[in-house]
Amino acid sequence: THMALLRKINQVLLFLLILTLCGILYKKVRKGAVLKNEADDDPETPEDTEEEIPVVICAAAGRMGAAMAAINSIYSNTDANIVFYVVGLRNTLSRIRKWIEHSKLREINFKIVEFNPIVLKGKIRPDSSRPELLQPLNFVRFYLPLLIHQHEKVIYLDDDVIVQGDIQELYDTTLALGHAAAFSDDCDLPAAQDINRLVGLQNTYMGYLDYRKKTIKDLGISPSTCSFNPGVIVANMTEWKHQRITKQLEKWMQKNVEENLYSSSLGGGVATSPMLIVFHGKYSTINPLWHIRHLGWNSDERYSEHFLQEAKLLHWNGRHKPWDFPSVHKDLWESWFVPDPAGIFKLNHNS
């Protein structure tokens, strides 16, 4: 009987082994078939697996309505598959989520990313003239590869923009070999708009860097070199990491803390100045219609309506924001405004 029992156990074990092998074979064959089916489906159309376009935008506490209007304008004007990376400081994350999920924006594909300002410790000079430019989120653009991992190409936008074109066009901007980013040149601004009437406009390196300082002189960059505006960036993450752009930008931030290298007349160059140094002669350009700016530069100068209709992206850089009073071309911005479900952010229509 002992032998019979052993034989029985052996038979059961053999049966289980055969069953397991059959299971494994079946899975292998099935997986092969599935993969084959996917491959056989239609080898001619790789674009069926629609590329995600990552758009990074910061949502700051006092002006969260800006980011929401920008997101609304982008989402409403494209069929592309956008994933919004909405960046905020820890204490605002739940409010960002609430605004998106309890408004018309609930349809969007988004990720909320926390930016920890500890990375900026010791890298920013306190400057009283425009304290809003020292907001930690102003420097998020320096740290793109730390926030975005699975994308090769990324769009970064300031929050005070409205997009009227299809963002796919901006995403398709060609970056030359070896370039980590594309910007819009300050000398590229459409001539039709006799832009220099906007008094005190900065469009050269001299407006951002203090050429009396030896460290700046030693760079060998002519002060009349055209600057660029980093409020709209198309970036290549592989090149950015390869060239260690973030490290270079941090180096210049630290140097500025030690030596006060930026021009004192800065209209907004706290984040711009280090980028002008690091990217000098090493960036591609964006179609000028994708960055029509200075709408916030002063509260009287207006662009022609026809010109603004042609613009693909409008940027209210400067002090006069379209959600505040006084400002110009408010109507273009307000048409994309998404009311705050919490009722905190309100438009300011008069003084």
Side-chain angles (χ1 to χ4, degrees), residues 198-264:
L198 304 176
V199 188
L201 211 53
Q202 289 159 292
N203 66 354
T204 64
Y205 272 52
M206 194 163 160
Y208 293 93
L209 302 172
D210 186 348
Y211 274 83
R212 293 167 305 183
K213 301 283 160 69
K214 183 179 180 339
T215 307
I216 297 299
K217 279 201 195 106
D218 289 351
L219 286 167
I221 301 172
S222 157
S224 61
T225 304
C226 230
S227 51
F228 56 79
N229 183 302
V232 176
I233 309 174
V234 182
N236 177 317
M237 293 296 94
T238 308
E239 274 300 331
W240 193 291
K241 287 184 275 201
H242 177 67
Q243 296 180 32
R244 306 181 58 146
I245 298 288
T246 299
K247 275 270 165 287
Q248 293 189 55
L249 290 166
E250 287 187 323
K251 180 188 91 175
W252 283 100
M253 287 168 85
Q254 264 152 343
K255 271 189 186 295
N256 178 56
V257 170
E258 294 153 18
E259 304 177 43
N260 196 9
L261 301 174
Y262 307 163
S263 162
S264 54

Side-chain angles (χ1 to χ4, degrees), residues 6 41 48 87 109 173 186:
L6 270 177
D41 224 37
D48 279 0
V87 186
N109 179 8
T173 299
D186 285 334

Side-chain angles (χ1 to χ4, degrees), residues 17-307:
L17 184 66
I18 291 167
L19 207 63
T20 309
L21 282 169
C22 285
I24 289 169
L25 273 170
Y26 173 70
K27 264 195 175 148
K28 270 213 153 84
V29 169
R30 190 158 174 268
K31 192 175 177 192
V34 168
L35 289 173
K36 195 169 178 315
N37 280 348
E38 284 174 5
D40 286 352
D41 224 37
D42 191 356
E44 301 336 301
T45 57
E47 65 271 16
D48 279 0
T49 58
E50 200 192 352
E51 190 175 11
E52 270 189 339
I53 297 181
V55 175
V56 177
I57 195 154
C58 295
R63 47 193 274 173
M64 208 170 275
M68 300 304 161
I71 290 169
N72 185 26
S73 70
I74 295 163
Y75 181 72
S76 305
N77 285 313
T78 189
D79 290 325
N81 181 16
I82 312 291
V83 53
F84 291 99
Y85 286 82
V86 189
V87 186
L89 302 180
R90 173 170 293 172
N91 60 352
T92 61
L93 303 183
S94 61
R95 192 170 159 222
I96 294 170
R97 182 171 298 283
K98 182 178 178 185
W99 200 322
I100 293 172
E101 290 179 351
H102 293 84
S103 71
K104 65 191 288 191
L105 298 178
R106 65 178 71 86
E107 304 288 312
I108 72 170
N109 179 8
F110 71 100
K111 294 182 169 80
I112 294 178
V113 182
E114 179 187 348
F115 181 64
N116 188 342
I118 195 82
V119 294
L120 301 172
K121 200 167 166 24
K123 299 187 185 82
I124 301 176
R125 274 187 96 78
D127 166 34
S128 56
S129 70
R130 281 189 70 187
E132 76 272 18
L133 296 169
L134 299 177
Q135 293 296 340
L137 294 177
N138 220 12
F139 300 93
V140 160
R141 68 197 95 196
F142 290 12
Y143 296 95
L144 294 177
L146 282 82
L147 302 168
I148 310 283
H149 304 296
Q150 66 271 55
H151 302 279
E152 164 85 359
K153 199 174 187 183
V154 173
I155 293 173
Y156 167 89
L157 299 176
D158 274 351
D159 64 352
D160 50 355
V161 306
I162 287 299
V163 171
Q164 303 187 127
D166 182 343
I167 196 97
Q168 177 81 49
E169 276 179 44
L170 180 61
Y171 185 74
D172 291 339
T173 299
T174 307
L175 270 69
L177 207 62
H179 285 178
F183 307 98
S184 171
D185 261 335
D186 285 334
C187 302
D188 257 7
L189 293 170
Q193 288 308 307
D194 189 19
I195 213 92
N196 297 325
R197 286 175 316 156
L198 304 176
V199 188
L201 211 53
Q202 289 159 292
N203 66 354
T204 64
Y205 272 52
M206 194 163 160
Y208 293 93
L209 302 172
D210 186 348
Y211 274 83
R212 293 167 305 183
K213 301 283 160 69
K214 183 179 180 339
T215 307
I216 297 299
K217 279 201 195 106
D218 289 351
L219 286 167
I221 301 172
S222 157
S224 61
T225 304
C226 230
S227 51
F228 56 79
N229 183 302
V232 176
I233 309 174
V234 182
N236 177 317
M237 293 296 94
T238 308
E239 274 300 331
W240 193 291
K241 287 184 275 201
H242 177 67
Q243 296 180 32
R244 306 181 58 146
I245 298 288
T246 299
K247 275 270 165 287
Q248 293 189 55
L249 290 166
E250 287 187 323
K251 180 188 91 175
W252 283 100
M253 287 168 85
Q254 264 152 343
K255 271 189 186 295
N256 178 56
V257 170
E258 294 153 18
E259 304 177 43
N260 196 9
L261 301 174
Y262 307 163
S263 162
S264 54
S265 65
L266 274 190
V270 197
T272 305
S273 302
M275 295 192 96
L276 290 178
I277 297 172
V278 171
F279 284 101
H280 175 250
K282 289 203 294 272
Y283 65 91
S284 298
T285 53
I286 286 169
N287 170 347
L289 286 176
W290 270 100
H291 196 171
I292 297 302
R293 51 196 179 278
H294 304 306
L295 275 79
W297 205 260
N298 92 36
S299 56
D300 316 310
E301 287 294 347
R302 300 177 72 86
Y303 285 109
S304 80
E305 293 304 320
H306 172 72
F307 176 69

